[in-house]
Amino acid sequence: MAPCPAAPALSDGIYAIAMTLLAINVAIPAHLDDAAFHKALSDALPHLGAFARSFTLIAGFRRDHRRILTALPAEQAVITRLTLLGLGLVALLLFPWPSSTRK
């Protein structure tokens, strides 16, 4: 059985969407004066740190996943199921868990 060329493309797409959606939590309102801008920037710093950590984690998952997919000699049903399970877990990283929404 030949390797499925769509699996790496699907994986790359899901990882790209996950990385892009991380940036939604990092926002600074427009049209602020200097003091308000600096206050908003300091308030956003924890979100920037979380963004950087999550982005790095997802990028590492994507890199390792890509290595695994390209090293496999053939597409198999078990591999496809495990790939879809892994991609579902990546999508869960973006799910707003209750503990992350508390102030």
Side-chain angles (χ1 to χ4, degrees):
M1 187 180 283
C4 177
L10 173 65
S11 299
D12 286 348
I14 289 174
Y15 282 108
I17 290 168
M19 292 171 147
T20 302
L21 290 176
L22 288 173
I24 289 175
N25 287 333
V26 180
I28 296 176
H31 311 296
L32 298 175
D33 61 17
D34 285 344
F37 174 76
H38 289 295
K39 169 86 171 91
L41 188 59
S42 68
D43 291 344
L45 284 178
H47 293 289
L48 288 172
F51 168 79
R53 286 190 308 272
S54 298
F55 188 89
T56 303
L57 179 71
I58 292 173
F61 286 161
R62 186 237 165 244
R63 180 197 63 224
D64 294 343
H65 188 257
R66 185 69 168 196
R67 284 182 187 165
I68 291 168
L69 283 179
T70 56
L72 295 173
E75 178 77 13
Q76 298 175 357
V78 172
I79 294 168
T80 300
R81 288 186 187 114
L82 288 173
T83 296
L84 293 173
L85 174 65
L87 294 173
L89 293 174
V90 167
L92 273 179
L93 289 173
L94 302 172
F95 189 81
W97 298 98
S99 62
S100 67
T101 58
R102 292 184 199 150
K103 294 207 178 207

